[in-house]
Amino acid sequence: MLHGVGVQSGLSFGAVRWMTPSIDFRELNIELPIHQEAKDLYDRSVGLVIDFLEKLSQNSAGNSKAIIEAQVQIAKDPALRKKVFASIDREIPLLDAIANASEDFKVLFVRLGGLYAERVSDLEDITNRISAMVVGLEPPGLPSSDRPYILAADDLAPADTATLDPKTVLAIVIAKGGPTCHAAIIARSLGIPTVVAVANLDKVTNGVAVLVDGDTGSIRVGVDEVEAAETISKGERFSIESIPFGPTHFSDQRLFQLLVNVGTKREIEEVISQSCDGVGLFRTEFLYLNRSNEPTVDEQKIYYGELFEKFEGKTVVVRTIDAGADKPLPFLGLAKEVNPALGVRGFRVATSRRDVIERQLEAIALAGADSGAKVSVMAPMISTVSETAQFVEMAKGHGIARVGVMVEVPAAVLCAEELLGVCDFVSIGTNDLAQYLFASDRESPQLARLNDPWNVALLRAIKMVSDAGLTMNKGVSVCGEAAADPFFAALLIGLGVSSISVGSASVGKLRSMIARCSREELQRVASFSTSLVNPVELKVFVQGEISRLLSR
Ligand code: PEP
Ligand code: MG
């Protein structure tokens, strides 16, 4: 049995497939054919890569399908073949010929910008696949499998997770990371059972069958299929059922605002507006990740507009770009920092690149004006009242009516009332707030337990912010990952937050929990919570109290 931190609930059983680490093919000391034989080998390898991708694309949908189809086009591109063949004619070894052609096209794509620049990672992936096929190795990156599997990785980049196909990935197990790392956030939005910070995961080899429990964070090795099936069906009987659509109300029919978190292109495409009251957190940095140049105002407008048009008449809270720390964006030209989590990230980027945020606000305002959605903006990583006032002035300057900030830094908790004095609402980002409150890196597997949201210090901080909202008569939302747990969400509502925003996979369970309780009952449970200093004791207490309310 291996142990980690469960970040998305659910049980899954299947064979492990490891993410293949990246290799520099040029450094492999392998004797390969030259001249015409090298060209034939290249053509054969490209053909096999195309066959594989086409088969994969038939079993995929949405974003993943589009990405795979674009890769097939790159593989078929005669210009790539011509460049490789020209190098072979100059007696350059085949793997170098492929790498050089890839490099040349990369430079060209970056220079062309726009959609071409976005294709750089696809180009790299395709040329890696061709090189891997040439030498008979597994290509780096996500495993190539058309059979469902349990994805194991040392770590996952947000971009890797964004292209995962939930139809083939049964569960995700990661050696690194913490409960609020970005891979965990995306995995949660896909609803795939996920365990991070798994100790000794490297002992589990490819092909070994494991039973993953995203609730307890355990991974059992050596379970047979019959036992796994029994455990899974037993687990399903105890889970809270989901109410996927419609308004969210308490047992006395009073309404509660339940919103969704959206970020990746796939989430934009797949979110269903009837499943929620709107979008409480639109993480816009996903448009910028993997970009070597800034998206233009027009590109941004199209991207945001796609989401806005789905939410006619509903709230969409757009968070301005949250770059820096675990989400580095090369085009911002930020200096390397010793301590990036405490460095120039989030709204702090405005100190040196205010122009980038101004252009983003312009695009949001333009896309908002073209849609019937009620578009608001909020800034991440706000520490002071003056930063809040600066952001409000910038956003209102672009004609955006409702402007808020995120509470992710302890200083913002302590000044919540004053922040609400200059902006329209706040949204608590418990992922970062926990990181900065407990001084524990959200990406660190060793510190995963320190970032446990059930720690009373975090709850007291949330209570302070909700109280400030009541005093100022302004909205206080929670959009951090902790809210995706229905028991924790119950506590948040009891502490007085006015809305909750979670990944779309969690909305139905939260709605179902809220429907069976009254706000007063949740307040009663929460009133004891801020004095329970042991997180395990607190969790057991809240789970017990809420389960009793649910089983009436
Ligand atoms: C948070 O910090 O809780 C949050 C919602 O923002 P992100 O996870 O994108 O940093
Ligand atoms: Mg954050």
Side-chain angles (χ1 to χ4, degrees), residues 49-61:
V49 168
I50 292 172
D51 284 351
F52 171 78
L53 291 175
E54 283 179 340
K55 208 165 342 118
L56 204 60
S57 132
Q58 281 161 17
N59 295 327
S60 311

Side-chain angles (χ1 to χ4, degrees), residues 111-437:
R111 199 169 329 121
L112 289 171
L115 286 175
Y116 280 99
E118 272 180 64
R119 294 271 87 95
V120 166
S121 55
D122 293 330
L123 171 74
E124 270 173 351
D125 186 61
I126 208 73
T127 47
N128 278 336
R129 281 180 185 280
I130 299 170
S131 299
M133 197 59 86
V134 162
V135 292
L137 286 174
E138 177 87 10
L142 288 173
S144 327
S145 175
D146 45 10
R147 288 235 303 271
Y149 62 95
I150 291 188
L151 176 66
D154 190 42
D155 200 2
L156 274 182
D160 289 324
T161 337
T163 55
L164 281 182
D165 187 346
K167 285 214 299 291
T168 44
V169 179
L170 299 168
I172 302 172
V173 291
I174 308 176
K176 292 197 174 133
T180 60
C181 69
H182 284 86
I185 293 172
I186 299 181
R188 208 178 263 128
S189 80
L190 296 172
I192 302 174
T194 301
V195 182
V196 300
V198 184
N200 298 318
L201 185 59
D202 55 347
K203 305 267 183 334
V204 184
T205 49
N206 261 335
V208 169
V210 295
L211 178 66
V212 178
D213 186 337
D215 292 286
T216 61
S218 66
I219 296 159
R220 281 176 65 195
V221 186
V223 187
D224 68 37
E225 272 174 39
V226 179
E227 196 188 339
E230 269 171 22
T231 313
I232 290 173
S233 67
K234 209 154 95 202
E236 273 163 5
R237 277 209 300 279
F238 290 113
S239 60
I240 299 177
E241 94 278 17
S242 164
I243 305 177
F245 302 111
T248 301
H249 48 71
F250 293 104
S251 55
D252 57 12
Q253 302 306 311
R254 277 181 290 168
L255 291 169
F256 181 77
Q257 194 179 37
L258 187 56
L259 305 158
V260 291
N261 294 347
V262 174
T264 63
K265 186 103 176 86
R266 174 170 24 208
E267 285 168 349
I268 295 174
E269 278 164 14
E270 292 180 358
V271 66
I272 299 169
S273 68
Q274 291 85 347
S275 71
C276 57
D277 298 314
V279 176
L281 167 65
F282 179 15
R283 286 186 168 96
T284 56
E285 56 278 3
F286 283 96
L287 169 64
Y288 295 77
L289 290 172
N290 280 344
R291 292 285 299 239
S292 42
N293 60 349
E294 182 190 344
T296 64
V297 170
D298 274 347
E299 271 179 79
Q300 294 184 52
K301 197 180 140 204
I302 293 168
Y303 194 81
Y304 307 146
E306 200 182 319
L307 182 69
F308 296 172
E309 75 180 23
K310 285 189 158 186
F311 284 89
E312 176 93 38
K314 289 188 172 180
T315 299
V316 179
V317 180
V318 188
R319 177 175 75 184
T320 50
I321 181 172
D322 186 15
D326 59 328
K327 292 174 276 195
L329 291 182
F331 74 80
L332 286 174
L334 301 176
K336 236 185 154 43
E337 292 170 297
V338 181
N339 222 339
L342 301 181
V344 183
R345 60 164 294 201
F347 184 65
R348 297 168 185 189
V349 165
T351 51
S352 58
R353 295 301 310 268
R354 182 177 166 139
D355 58 317
V356 174
I357 298 177
E358 292 281 8
R359 278 190 289 277
Q360 185 178 27
L361 289 169
E362 183 190 348
I364 296 166
L366 289 171
D370 281 356
S371 79
K374 293 184 201 151
V375 175
S376 317
V377 287
M378 67 180 176
M381 285 294 292
I382 289 288
S383 311
T384 64
V385 178
S386 70
E387 281 174 346
T388 309
Q390 186 193 359
F391 179 65
V392 171
E393 193 196 327
M394 285 165 73
K396 300 230 160 161
H398 287 277
I400 299 167
R402 213 168 151 264
V403 186
V405 295
M406 290 193 71
V407 174
E408 305 185 278
V409 176
V413 173
L414 299 175
C415 296
E417 223 173 282
E418 287 83 354
L419 299 190
L420 282 166
V422 294
C423 70
D424 301 310
F425 66 94
V426 294
S427 186
I428 307 174
T430 47
N431 308 337
D432 277 312
L433 185 55
Q435 154 164 272
Y436 296 118
L437 210 49

Side-chain angles (χ1 to χ4, degrees), residues 8-20:
Q8 169 63 31
S9 65
L11 286 158
S12 280
F13 176 73
V16 161
R17 293 294 310 267
W18 273 87
M19 180 104 176
T20 316

Side-chain angles (χ1 to χ4, degrees), residues 28-105:
L28 292 176
N29 232 342
I30 298 180
E31 187 93 7
L32 287 172
I34 52 171
H35 306 311
Q36 187 55 42
E37 274 182 52
K39 291 181 184 175
D40 293 344
L41 177 58
Y42 176 82
D43 279 341
R44 263 199 318 278
S45 304
V46 172
L48 289 169
V49 168
I50 292 172
D51 284 351
F52 171 78
L53 291 175
E54 283 179 340
K55 208 165 342 118
L56 204 60
S57 132
Q58 281 161 17
N59 295 327
S60 311
N63 206 19
S64 322
K65 195 179 180 74
I67 290 172
I68 298 165
E69 281 168 0
Q71 287 185 326
V72 170
Q73 290 317 312
I74 295 174
K76 285 182 175 168
D77 190 343
L80 184 67
R81 181 174 188 261
K82 204 168 148 200
K83 240 187 207 326
V84 173
F85 281 17
S87 294
I88 294 173
D89 288 338
R90 279 185 278 123
E91 305 210 333
I92 293 172
L94 179 53
L95 290 174
D96 291 284
I98 299 171
N100 295 348
S102 176
E103 203 49 48
D104 288 353
F105 275 102

